[in-house]
Amino acid sequence: TRLYSSPLERAMTTARAIAGATGLPIHVLDELKEMSYGGWEGRSFLEVRRDEQEAFRRWIDDPDSPCPGGESHNDVRRRIERAFAAMREQTNGQPSRVVAVMHGTAIRIAATILLNVPVLAARHLAQDNASISVFDWRGERYVMKVWNDTTHCEGSEGA
């Protein structure tokens, strides 16, 4: 019933495809952006782990420790919690099916919010490009029905 997307182009490309198939308008939320990796942007985690061992270890072990010049895991969690609150407000209490087009780390952190688990549990969740994950509201909690499904990409070049 509602389609939300990060404003970043790689998410908007996917959101436009979903909008074309569903006829839903895209509601852009800045809070759905990927984690800001600051000075680590564009570098592989293998390189960062090798070259900046202490900062990398702090970032991995402490949910409040940001990437140099970027965000911490809890920064992203708070940002996505704000996005979820905005989504709830826009449904006016009506049952809804929401699609949120986001990015890898942001999706994993969003899952920790929905499942009510510690934010650092996100690093135990695999997240592939173009995957679909489904959460259902049951009573007073979310249940993960599908995680990281890429079967719709089978046979696609580059998948």
Side-chain angles (χ1 to χ4, degrees), residues 98-113:
V98 173
V99 174
V101 182
M102 302 165 64
H103 310 274
T105 301
I107 292 169
R108 291 190 301 271
I109 291 174
T112 69
I113 296 166

Side-chain angles (χ1 to χ4, degrees), residues 28-73:
V28 176
L29 291 176
D30 283 343
E31 292 86 357
L32 298 179
K33 286 181 182 176
E34 179 61 294
M35 174 182 269
S36 170
Y37 292 102
W40 295 347
E41 290 284 347
R43 297 174 63 194
S44 75
F45 283 120
L46 291 174
E47 179 185 338
V48 171
R49 186 176 16 204
R50 180 192 68 224
D51 297 344
E52 300 183 44
Q53 291 177 15
E54 187 176 318
F56 184 79
R57 179 57 40 209
R58 272 193 316 273
W59 178 72
I60 287 294
D61 291 340
D62 179 358
D64 291 310
S65 180
C67 305
E71 292 180 292
S72 73
H73 290 88

